[in-house]
Amino acid sequence: QKLEELCAEADAIHRREDTATAHLKQLEETLTAKDTALMSLERRVQSLEEAVDKKEKALQTASSGHQQAELKAEEYQRRIIHLETALQEEHNKYMQMKDKYEASRAEIDAFERAIDEW
């Protein structure tokens, strides 16, 4: 009977280990997907920053001159505000993804520690 109890306990341990391994794999896949999304957002933020820089340079060039240049400068300023708003939105998304990434990473680390300790 003691042997049966030990076998049952061993089976339960193996089931928990299999569950933990599957969960860890799922977390790693989620982390990989989030990391890919994070890199995409980083590229988008960089692209928006470059667009803002380009528009700011264009604004500086356009602002020197006559009334038509002033009208263009106003248009560029509106575009810059639009781009800055879009940049802020992308930055917010980036930060949310980064927070989710870090939370997933912490969960995986904790899970790996628990498995190691187990």
Side-chain angles (χ1 to χ4, degrees):
Q1 184 178 357
K2 184 69 173 175
L3 181 60
E4 287 177 12
E5 289 173 8
L6 288 174
C7 287
E9 186 177 336
D11 287 343
I13 288 170
H14 286 297
R15 283 192 301 277
R16 286 196 308 266
E17 185 179 67
D18 290 345
T19 300
T21 301
H23 185 62
L24 180 59
K25 183 177 180 181
Q26 181 183 15
L27 287 173
E28 287 174 343
E29 289 170 356
T30 300
L31 182 61
T32 299
K34 288 180 179 181
D35 194 35
T36 300
L38 184 61
M39 287 188 291
S40 175
L41 282 173
E42 287 173 341
R43 286 190 300 272
R44 177 77 174 130
V45 166
Q46 182 180 2
S47 174
L48 286 169
E49 287 172 342
E50 290 169 358
V52 167
D53 289 344
K54 184 177 178 181
K55 295 297 181 181
E56 285 176 344
K57 287 177 185 174
L59 176 61
Q60 290 170 356
T61 301
S63 65
S64 65
H66 50 77
Q67 185 179 10
Q68 185 178 5
E70 290 176 2
L71 292 174
K72 280 189 175 188
E74 290 172 9
E75 175 60 25
Y76 283 130
Q77 187 61 41
R78 285 192 294 275
R79 290 181 185 175
I80 288 171
I81 290 169
H82 175 74
L83 287 171
E84 287 174 340
T85 301
L87 176 61
Q88 184 61 47
E89 290 171 1
E90 290 297 327
H91 177 72
N92 291 344
K93 289 178 189 175
Y94 167 82
M95 293 306 292
Q96 289 173 351
M97 288 299 293
K98 182 179 177 189
D99 291 344
K100 289 178 183 177
Y101 171 87
E102 290 172 357
S104 293
R105 183 77 255 164
E107 187 176 352
I108 287 172
D109 290 346
F111 208 78
E112 288 175 341
R113 281 192 304 277
I115 288 173
D116 289 345
E117 291 172 8
W118 187 62

